[in-house]
Amino acid sequence: MTINPSSGALTPGTTVDLSFTVQEPSGSSTLNDLVMSTALTSPQWSYIIYVNGNPTAPTQSAQETLDISSFLLTYKSSDDVSVGVTLAGTTPTVTQTSNQTLVQIYEEDTNGNQIGTPYIATAMVVNPADVSTAIANANAQLSQLKTDIDEKTALGVDTSAAEAQYNAAQSQITQAQALPATQYTTALNDITTATSDISNGESLLDKSWAEAEISTAQGPVNNVDTLIAFFQGNQSTANDPKLSTIINEREIAVSYISAANDFVTSGNFASARSKAEQAYTEGNQSYNDAEAFYIQVTTTWNPFGALGDIGSIFSSSVLLIGVGVVAVVLIVVGIIIYRKRSRWDELG
């Protein structure tokens, strides 16, 4: 069978030409009608029956279904019988892009029953609005991804991976928009690729957001670790019950961070963010308690500590004054000793 156009999707109103031959089985005669039908509009059929290579007169038909009677096809079993057919028509208007039957060929018995499996040739006929709709939907999704990227950028989230997907999707959509309607399949493939890129971009953005939340939650834990090390390094605080409370709070925060990382690995980014928020709250509580304990401890060691920064300055000033007094005393003592030794030398 020869079909023109031979490839690609077709737009409504496209002229299609078909040419083919139906060969009767060798060494047998037929008792069935040969039936052919088409979904093309304004069909023009023409067929010639060949018997041992000799043609009959051409027969034309403008019906949707062509029925060649078994009477016209019945010859001696030793005869070679075939039917040469041409068909021309136009592709129909469709409300939805779909495959349309160019020709269907089958046999029908005397009772009107279809015999065997029909031969069917199809072509995709495009509803141009489908491409426009697909492109519009893809552009809307692309715009939403851009909005989400901008929002996360403002939050300090690393959006580079999502931006790469955005750029790839934008390129595919632009490419689809430039294609003619006859390349419908290629255009839809481009749009399918673009929507996949957009979906990946949203997922990568969600992942980066979750990772950023986990990183934020790690901050208080890192801070409290420094204070815990300080407390554990001093005998007066190493076994204090308050330190145990601080450590317990810190461990809870760490467990939430671990759970958040597990959720990231499994792709459940919303749950990862939720656990990261819990980790931040618990870690911050641990750090606040540790800071309060640190102030309490340093106030006990430093009598001026209760005055805050001023107390620290005052304490430092007192220390410097004390060191100065000691230095002066040492100098005076040194002078006295020097003078005594000098007198001893004068006396011989």
Side-chain angles (χ1 to χ4, degrees):
M1 180 178 290
T2 300
I3 303 174
N4 184 39
S6 59
S7 62
L10 305 175
T11 55
T14 301
T15 299
V16 181
D17 296 303
L18 299 92
S19 177
F20 55 92
T21 298
V22 179
Q23 179 68 51
E24 291 291 333
S26 177
S28 65
S29 60
T30 181
L31 296 175
N32 299 317
D33 290 355
L34 181 63
V35 181
M36 290 170 274
S37 63
T38 183
L40 295 173
T41 59
S42 303
Q44 295 295 323
W45 300 90
S46 179
Y47 70 90
I48 298 173
I49 299 174
Y50 294 88
V51 182
N52 299 320
N54 299 311
T56 62
T59 301
Q60 281 80 35
S61 173
Q63 301 299 313
E64 182 179 309
T65 300
L66 174 65
D67 190 332
I68 303 176
S69 170
S70 62
F71 175 77
L72 299 175
L73 302 172
T74 301
Y75 290 87
K76 294 181 295 184
S77 60
S78 60
D79 291 332
D80 179 72
V81 181
S82 62
V83 183
V85 184
T86 61
L87 169 63
T90 58
T91 51
T93 299
V94 293
T95 57
Q96 183 176 2
T97 300
S98 58
N99 282 321
Q100 297 294 309
T101 300
L102 300 180
V103 66
Q104 178 176 233
I105 307 169
Y106 58 92
E107 289 185 83
E108 197 174 81
D109 65 18
T110 55
N111 295 319
N113 298 316
Q114 181 177 303
I115 304 300
T117 302
Y119 175 89
I120 302 175
T122 64
M124 181 174 289
V125 179
V126 175
N127 176 9
D130 287 352
V131 179
S132 300
T133 300
I135 290 174
N137 290 338
N139 272 321
Q141 294 176 44
L142 188 68
S143 178
Q144 183 60 55
L145 176 58
K146 183 64 169 66
T147 298
D148 294 340
I149 287 174
D150 290 343
E151 289 178 352
K152 300 309 178 293
T153 299
L155 294 174
V157 175
D158 179 7
T159 62
S160 57
E163 287 174 14
Q165 293 296 306
Y166 172 88
N167 293 333
Q170 188 177 49
S171 176
Q172 291 292 330
I173 293 172
T174 300
Q175 183 172 296
Q177 288 174 320
L179 293 173
T182 53
Q183 296 189 42
Y184 167 86
T185 303
T186 302
L188 278 192
N189 286 339
D190 288 340
I191 295 301
T192 298
T193 301
T195 54
S196 177
D197 290 338
I198 292 169
S199 178
N200 290 338
E202 291 286 6
S203 180
L204 290 169
L205 190 61
D206 213 12
K207 179 183 179 183
S208 293
W209 185 17
E211 289 173 340
E213 292 290 298
I214 293 172
S215 179
T216 299
Q218 187 67 47
V221 173
N222 293 341
N223 291 337
V224 79
D225 282 347
T226 300
L227 291 175
I228 289 174
F230 169 78
F231 296 136
Q232 290 177 332
N234 291 276
Q235 292 184 352
S236 60
T237 57
N239 298 313
D240 195 296
K242 291 181 181 180
L243 178 57
S244 297
T245 301
I246 292 168
I247 291 174
N248 287 338
E249 291 170 340
R250 183 261 185 201
E251 292 304 316
I252 293 172
V254 169
S255 69
Y256 285 149
I257 290 174
S258 177
N261 282 318
D262 289 342
F263 280 126
V264 167
T265 301
S266 65
N268 189 346
F269 305 125
S271 294
R273 289 195 303 274
S274 177
K275 284 297 179 184
E277 290 173 4
Q278 290 178 285
Y280 180 80
T281 299
E282 195 68 31
N284 214 36
Q285 181 63 49
S286 176
Y287 176 67
N288 289 338
D289 289 347
E291 194 173 42
F293 185 35
Y294 177 80
I295 292 173
Q296 177 188 338
V297 169
T298 54
T299 300
T300 302
W301 290 346
N302 176 14
F304 302 105
L307 298 177
D309 292 339
I310 295 176
S312 297
I313 295 172
F314 185 63
S315 175
S316 299
S317 299
V318 170
L319 179 60
L320 290 173
I321 291 171
V323 171
V325 170
V326 171
V328 170
V329 170
L330 290 175
I331 291 171
V332 171
V333 171
I335 292 172
I336 293 172
I337 293 174
Y338 175 76
R339 287 180 176 178
K340 286 183 177 180
R341 286 184 177 176
S342 298
R343 183 177 301 171
W344 293 338
D345 292 338
E346 291 173 358
L347 296 176

